[in-house]
Amino acid sequence: DRLAHDVKYQDVHPNHPDALRLIEASGYEAVLFFFACQCEAAGEYGCVQGAMLDALYAMLGRCGRSGVKRFVLLTDRRVFGDAQEGREDETPFPDTPTGVVIKAAEDCLAHGTPEGMDTLLVRVTSPYEPGDCSSFFARAAACAAGKRPLVLSGSRQTPCDFVHADDLAAFLDFALGDNLSGVAHVFYGRPCTYGEVENLLHRYYPQLECTYAGGGRAGTLMGTAMRRVDWVPRHDFSRELDTLFEKKMRPIPASHGEKRQSRLSRLLRGLLPWAELLLMALLTLAAEDAARENALFSVVDYRLLFVAIMGNVHGIRFGVLAALLACVHYALAWTSQGQELYMLLYNADHWLPLGCYMLC
């Protein structure tokens, strides 16, 4: 909404062929590549960033052939190990799988950039803004609403830092205008710890439980490059929590009647698949019995159809249960004809339908 009317936004994955063709056809002067930003996230997301690494390599090559003059890569603090200070002139030594992938992306920028292209490496601390479902504060609100613990890597004394998306956008604007190159760290800069953030969160979500996974970094980010472009952050997260945790993000306390209705609905949702399994099993029995007297309908294996429907609708657990019920029904049908049950195992012709039920 804050973009100018003459700005066009392209929603396409950077590894998609259309993205590379767009770079070649549009004649851009500068390209910004957002590789990793949410350094306070609990998950590692290594597989996602592995795919982004391939996209970065392809994008750098296409930008070089398309005459792009400047390339800006955005990563985050996870490229540094927990024992490092996070300075701009410090060589990263990552100690997590995600950090290793981010370091590979930064090395790709350093050694894979075509000649004649200026580069800027921007490392950030977790960006946030109202309505951003991937931010640290949105994750805290989701954990409180779902009554799940908020898992943080470190301890209550672990330093943390958050920068508003508008401030990050302003820095990138200044950096492009001043032709900034090299390495720049973007952070708010006010000393803060997880313990202080937890106390602030408890004002809005008293029931939120924060658990710590141990370890803890020595610092967040340090540097002076962002000051060279006269950039000063305007947003402080501690003063904007009312906006971040507005009503539509805040869980509404449920009344006693609503809680009872919610428990009843969860119980019904849990029983529904079992009821469907029983009903479908009875319908299968009826269909098999009816098909014995009709030559047209007897060519269909209704047990196999039963297994296929239950497996596709409710997943592998109910699919396996349906397959076991189908095998039991097949054995009962065999014994109802006056045959001994052990003869079913010695007759290899009957292994095929039983195997098909389990395979399906």
Side-chain angles (χ1 to χ4, degrees):
D1 295 337
R2 295 185 294 271
L3 293 176
H5 293 293
D6 58 346
V7 174
K8 295 182 178 179
Y9 172 71
Q10 303 291 340
D11 185 8
V12 60
H13 192 277
N15 206 18
H16 195 278
D18 289 345
L20 301 179
R21 287 195 289 266
L22 182 67
I23 293 293
E24 188 172 2
S26 301
Y28 293 123
E29 183 177 351
V31 169
L32 282 72
F33 194 102
F34 290 81
F35 189 85
C37 295
Q38 289 296 335
C39 63
E40 303 298 332
E44 294 292 343
Y45 307 111
C47 59
V48 176
Q49 289 164 350
M52 291 288 286
L53 185 60
D54 297 333
L56 173 62
Y57 182 78
M59 187 71 73
L60 277 172
R62 185 59 58 93
C63 289
R65 295 191 296 271
S66 303
V68 176
K69 301 299 183 184
R70 309 200 62 210
F71 195 97
V72 181
L73 176 66
L74 282 90
T75 64
D76 59 46
R77 196 242 172 264
R78 286 175 293 177
V79 71
F80 292 102
D82 285 343
Q84 295 188 268
E85 296 180 358
R87 302 190 311 271
E88 288 172 340
D89 59 349
E90 187 177 9
T91 301
F93 292 101
D95 52 12
T96 63
T98 299
V100 172
V101 178
I102 297 175
K103 180 63 165 59
E106 295 185 358
D107 290 341
C108 183
L109 179 72
H111 305 292
T113 304
E115 282 189 47
M117 183 188 300
D118 293 331
T119 61
L120 173 63
L121 173 60
V122 178
R123 299 190 185 109
V124 300
T125 55
S126 297
Y128 70 95
E129 65 175 339
D132 180 10
C133 60
S134 63
S135 71
F136 170 84
F137 302 103
R139 187 162 63 90
C143 290
K147 297 181 179 179
R148 304 187 309 272
L150 177 64
V151 181
L152 301 173
S153 179
S155 64
R156 286 182 57 87
Q157 288 72 40
T158 298
C160 58
D161 189 279
F162 306 94
V163 61
H164 198 283
D166 286 347
D167 290 334
L168 175 59
F171 170 80
L172 294 174
D173 188 19
F174 293 150
L176 290 173
D178 289 1
N179 296 322
L180 187 66
S181 60
V183 179
H185 287 181
V186 179
F187 53 95
Y188 182 78
R190 181 175 69 86
C192 186
T193 64
Y194 277 150
E196 297 175 30
V197 175
E198 181 181 351
N199 294 335
L200 291 174
L201 293 177
H202 283 162
R203 298 180 184 177
Y204 298 86
Y205 302 106
Q207 76 280 14
L208 178 63
E209 177 186 359
C210 296
T211 60
Y212 297 92
R217 52 178 172 259
T220 51
L221 287 177
M222 301 172 59
T224 58
M226 62 183 185
R227 309 300 181 193
R228 295 205 302 266
V229 295
D230 296 328
W231 175 83
V232 177
R234 297 182 295 109
H235 297 268
D236 182 356
F237 80 92
S238 62
R239 301 175 182 176
E240 299 177 342
L241 292 180
D242 288 335
T243 304
L244 292 174
F245 297 138
E246 55 188 350
K247 283 187 177 180
K248 64 180 181 181
M249 291 181 60
R250 191 179 304 174
I252 301 175
S255 63
H256 180 70
E258 291 174 338
K259 290 180 180 178
R260 184 170 54 191
Q261 184 177 4
S262 176
R263 287 195 296 268
L264 180 60
S265 63
R266 286 198 300 268
L267 179 61
L268 291 177
R269 283 197 301 268
L271 292 177
L272 182 60
W274 295 96
E276 291 182 3
L277 179 68
L278 179 60
L279 179 61
M280 287 294 296
L282 295 176
L283 290 176
T284 302
L285 286 174
E288 287 286 347
D289 291 338
R292 293 174 187 170
E293 303 175 359
N294 191 306
L296 179 62
F297 295 135
S298 63
V299 298
V300 179
D301 191 335
Y302 294 98
R303 301 185 193 93
L304 186 61
L305 180 62
F306 163 59
V307 175
I309 291 175
M310 292 305 301
N312 277 281
V313 173
H314 293 296
I316 190 171
R317 182 175 63 172
F318 283 92
V320 171
L321 290 175
L324 293 175
L325 288 176
C327 293
V328 170
H329 181 235
Y330 190 90
L332 292 177
W334 170 263
T335 56
S336 66
Q337 300 173 5
Q339 305 288 341
E340 294 293 337
L341 184 60
Y342 72 90
M343 292 298 298
L344 181 64
L345 302 177
Y346 286 103
N347 193 337
D349 292 339
H350 295 282
W351 296 356
L352 179 61
L354 297 178
C356 286
Y357 299 153
M358 298 306 299
L359 180 62
C360 181

